[in-house]
Amino acid sequence: MFDSIPSHYLLIGSTIMAVIMGSFVMVIRLRAQKKPVSTKKILIPPFAMSTGALMFIFEEFRVAPLQIAEAAALGLLFSVVLILTSKFEIRDNAVYMKQSKAFPFILVGLLVLRIILKLIFAESFDVGELAGMFFILAFSMILPWRIGMLIKYKKLEKSQIIA
């Protein structure tokens, strides 16, 4: 499918898209801190992102089991940082994400690290395989983060009802 396009063009294009998508996500996350949180708002992103797994229908994006494990482990490691920095607070009788000055820097740092890793691994992997690995990494980062957020949110919501 991508055989007719030189791999360095695919790498440049996918890196530019990663920066655009990362910037878009960062803007959305920072704006979301100004609105109350709900279970739906926490759970929709991983469900929406899960549709991206359809990419694995195509042979070009499939990766070996060891690569799946490596990408998932790195995603889980990244998720720990996000879980630890995602905090909630009660304002105006509703639950909000607590604004953190470090959060935008963490998101940018994760994006930059991801791009650096992509450029390093571009020499060793086909562009499609690399896309598959980075999807797994991103999903393995977002799913535990959102589950961690949901647990924290439910605890705070429950304490608010009790109080």
Side-chain angles (χ1 to χ4, degrees), residues 28-64:
I28 288 173
R29 290 297 318 137
L30 293 174
R31 286 177 133 188
Q33 291 179 343
K34 295 176 180 159
K35 296 178 183 173
V37 178
S38 68
T39 300
K40 187 170 124 178
K41 287 180 181 179
I42 292 172
L43 293 179
I44 285 177
F47 280 113
M49 187 180 175
S50 68
T51 61
L54 291 172
M55 72 192 296
F56 296 112
I57 291 172
F58 301 99
E59 187 73 34
E60 292 89 356
F61 298 108
R62 294 186 191 151
V63 293

Side-chain angles (χ1 to χ4, degrees), residues 100-126:
S100 166
K101 290 182 179 159
F103 192 71
F105 295 108
I106 290 167
L107 287 179
V108 169
L110 289 173
L111 178 64
V112 168
L113 182 59
R114 194 171 162 217
I115 290 169
I116 290 169
L117 288 172
K118 186 177 189 177
L119 295 173
I120 290 169
F121 289 124
E123 299 295 320
S124 307
F125 295 98
D126 182 60

Side-chain angles (χ1 to χ4, degrees), residues 29 37-47 82-84 86-88 95 97 142-159:
R29 290 297 318 137
V37 178
S38 68
T39 300
K40 187 170 124 178
K41 287 180 181 179
I42 292 172
L43 293 179
I44 285 177
F47 280 113
L82 292 171
I83 291 167
L84 293 174
S86 296
K87 298 185 184 339
F88 295 100
V95 179
M97 284 287 296
I142 287 172
L143 185 62
W145 174 38
R146 291 307 179 127
I147 291 170
M149 283 177 67
L150 183 62
I151 291 167
K152 289 179 180 183
Y153 170 74
K154 288 295 182 183
K155 281 182 183 177
L156 188 59
E157 186 180 52
K158 191 175 185 179
S159 73

